[in-house]
Amino acid sequence: MAAEIIRRGGLVVFPTETVYGLGADACNPIAVARIFEVKRRPAIDPLIIHVADAESARTYGEIPDKWAPALMRKFWPGPLTLVVRKRSTVPSIVTAGLDTVAIRVPAHPVAQSLIRASGTAIAAPSANPFGYVSPTMAEHIHGELFDQIDLLLDGGACGVGLESTIVSLIGPSPLILRAGGITGEEIAQVLETGSLPISAKSHALPQAPGQLARHYATRTPLEIVPDDDRGAFLCAGDKVGLLTLKSPSRPERFASVEVLSETGNLREAAANLFAALRRLDALGLDRIIASPIPEKGLGIAIMDRLHRCAARHA
Ligand code: TXA
Ligand code: MG
């Protein structure tokens, strides 16, 4: 039934290993236009297309002989998106008029079977209103986009919890456009390069609007505050929530505390991040304070999301 809806130009929210996607047939420009409408997403912000395997990726993009084969072999299916030259099979609404296309092969079994049964590529942004926190559970869709979609496939909580890492293969060397579920170190290791450049954090005219300085934002103001400075940020009478990697020393000072991983495991923290932000955001707090997380491995992508959330309120 879900595949039938896609084939008929409908919208299906489906689970991937990263976050839930708001999917439509990538080859149907009218269906894709509905994605932009429902998300209230600016038309200048291109979408990722989801295909079942590396072979199908070649139908939609010109896969370069350099770098791509090694990356696809190692990370597909999985949370890596590659930006390559597009083919004419991809309508320009998907790529916002760019001559490049972002392609990924999701690992989630529900996403895989949806794509295969639909027999097309599925264009899908994260299934949240533009600028808000991405959904990592089916419940997150309710009260947001639910009324405007044709079907919601519930696949439980997303295992990775952060969006895919986006790597552009367009320039003279690979460039990370968005930090995500696969770390720069893992990618550099496969490419046998020292380290991989990450594109500057925000752009006026971004190559990837996921790079927009203000994104992934809670409605409640959020600030990143080092643990030692916390006291100065707590005013009497203010209801403050704390988002932290490990248990804090004086939890009673906060109206609510979200611990991302008791053991400090960054994978677990990434998987919990968006649901924790959404829980805090639902409490009607005056402010959310986030403790900085070590910027190593997945910590880079986690801090990237927190910085963008904080920028919204700066
Ligand atoms: O994990 C993910 O990537 C999730 C799941 C659903 O697959 N999708 C996702 O989509 O995060 P979205 O639309 O929220 O973010 C896609 C990002 C945007 O920042 C967009 O600008 C960038 O990908 N993008 C898409 N096509 C691009 C292109 N041709 N060149 C550069 N950036 C591109
Ligand atoms: Mg998004």
Side-chain angles (χ1 to χ4, degrees), residues 19-20 39 41 45 48 124-135 163 178 209-210 215-216 274 305:
V19 301
Y20 276 75
K39 244 193 100 113
R41 178 176 174 119
D45 191 354
I48 295 174
S126 50
N128 51 281
F130 186 70
Y132 194 59
V133 181
S134 300
E163 298 83 351
R178 178 178 72 186
H215 217 81
Y216 309 103
F274 289 148
R305 303 306 187 266

Side-chain angles (χ1 to χ4, degrees), residues 18 41 45-46 48 50 100 104 125-126 164 166 178 207-210:
T18 60
R41 178 176 174 119
D45 191 354
I48 295 174
H50 299 69
T100 58
R104 117 172 170 83
S126 50
S164 60
I166 304 180
R178 178 178 72 186
Q207 258 188 302

